[in-house]
Amino acid sequence: MLFDTHAHITDDKYDEDRAELLEKISQSDVKYIVNPGVDIPSSLEAIELAKRYKFIYAAIGIHPHEASGADEDSISRLRELAKCDKVVAIGEIGLDYYYEFSPKDVQKDIFIRQIELANETGLPIIVHDRDAHADTFSIIKKHKAPGTGCVLHCYSGSKEMAMEYVRLGCHISIAGPVTFKGNNKTAEVVREIPLERMLIETDSPYLTPVPFRGKRNDPTKVEHVAAMIAQIRGLSYERVCQQTSENALDFFNIKK
Ligand code: NI
């Protein structure tokens, strides 16, 4: 069993063959997928898709790229949407100082409001952090309630920072870049953090793992992330699949 904790199936890169792809996934070892939104329309699409496919769950949220387009009304909409029983998280939310499509202050404000919404609803958060490691950490530390789950999606920070997150009760999600040649930083993170705090993902359609790098990604390729983690940790592939799936089911509070 595999659990892809982050795949954007509603992305237009799947418009041509989405039904076919979902059929292929349903025949694979991937038994669960969480599809995160990046704004209100894509959060609605994520919910619609989750309603049609049993193995797909939705996360709803405003991505830092979209933060400038958000207002008080967006948070109220998310609060309403969070009531749907296929919504398992608030995400993806966070900070992106690499592209900085929205001003930093606006990104921080929308991030904090969505963490507060997660605290209020009891849903965990899925966090995007690109080149904003220090601010992301301090905001989570300050605003996340102790009982609110938090995963750093496609984690790209240091092993020391990863352990700081683990001590805060957070999870670390490993994606395709762990398979890239010369990515020792992510390998060190995989070696360091407890397996019980690790989730796996594809971030489809992006970040395709080796040996498919350069092609479009999809959830069936999460097995290559699991295989690389097994190799780094010296564990069996089955053990990594089983533990990361259990972790994700617990994290998203999904009953088997
Ligand atoms: Ni994403």
Side-chain angles (χ1 to χ4, degrees):
M1 173 170 75
L2 285 156
F3 192 138
D4 184 355
T5 62
H6 197 113
H8 300 276
I9 307 294
T10 49
D11 191 283
D12 57 16
K13 290 194 178 59
Y14 301 111
D15 283 353
E16 298 276 299
D17 61 345
R18 187 174 292 105
E20 214 177 299
L21 173 65
L22 289 167
E23 175 59 27
K24 186 178 148 197
I25 296 167
S26 72
Q27 306 297 321
S28 76
D29 271 350
V30 179
K31 302 303 177 202
Y32 301 90
I33 296 172
V34 171
N35 182 111
V38 294
D39 54 15
I40 300 293
S42 61
S43 296
L44 283 165
E45 282 171 27
I47 291 174
E48 285 313 309
L49 192 72
K51 281 181 179 166
R52 278 190 282 131
Y53 291 88
K54 198 167 178 284
F55 62 97
I56 302 181
Y57 291 80
I60 55 167
I62 294 151
H63 191 283
H65 288 345
E66 313 298 333
S68 344
D71 55 18
E72 204 48 62
D73 187 51
S74 318
I75 303 296
S76 313
R77 293 292 301 281
L78 290 175
R79 182 175 288 111
E80 276 309 304
L81 297 178
K83 291 175 185 158
C84 169
D85 60 5
K86 293 255 6 221
V87 171
V88 294
I90 303 293
E92 62 181 284
I93 63 175
L95 302 174
D96 193 311
Y97 293 173
Y98 179 81
Y99 287 109
E100 215 183 318
F101 288 155
S102 302
K104 288 181 184 176
D105 281 354
V106 177
Q107 291 190 36
K108 287 187 205 170
D109 181 55
I110 293 299
F111 184 28
I112 292 168
R113 279 157 180 266
Q114 293 181 99
I115 295 174
E116 287 166 351
L117 178 63
N119 294 339
E120 178 192 320
T121 58
L123 291 170
I125 54 174
I126 299 172
V127 176
H128 169 107
D129 161 18
R130 184 138 188 220
D131 288 0
H133 299 331
D135 282 358
T136 302
F137 183 77
S138 68
I139 286 175
I140 291 172
K141 192 171 179 189
K142 183 162 175 213
H143 296 276
K144 185 184 85 60
T148 302
C150 169
V151 61
L152 277 296
H153 122 78
C154 189
Y155 183 75
S156 60
S158 67
K159 64 176 180 186
E160 291 79 13
M161 182 68 97
M163 285 310 294
E164 290 289 324
Y165 277 117
V166 166
R167 281 188 278 274
L168 268 188
C170 303
H171 286 65
I172 302 290
S173 183
I174 304 296
V178 73
T179 67
F180 297 174
K181 199 166 183 283
N183 187 359
N184 299 324
K185 199 176 173 189
T186 306
E188 280 182 4
V189 171
V190 167
R191 243 174 249 122
E192 189 83 4
I193 62 173
L195 191 61
E196 291 69 27
R197 292 298 184 82
M198 204 185 288
L199 303 182
I200 58 173
E201 64 169 288
T202 55
D203 200 16
S204 298
Y206 314 104
L207 300 173
T208 313
V210 172
F212 298 102
R213 204 173 171 186
K215 301 216 172 78
R216 186 184 70 174
N217 203 0
D218 74 75
T220 63
K221 296 180 175 60
V222 77
E223 63 177 297
H224 300 284
V225 176
M228 182 54 80
I229 292 169
Q231 192 184 319
I232 293 167
R233 292 284 291 240
L235 296 168
S236 72
Y237 169 72
E238 290 72 22
R239 168 99 175 87
V240 171
C241 295
Q242 188 249 338
Q243 186 65 54
T244 54
S245 297
E246 292 294 332
N247 297 346
L249 288 166
D250 276 357
F251 181 82
F252 293 111
N253 197 20
I254 295 172
K255 310 273 175 283
K256 269 196 270 188

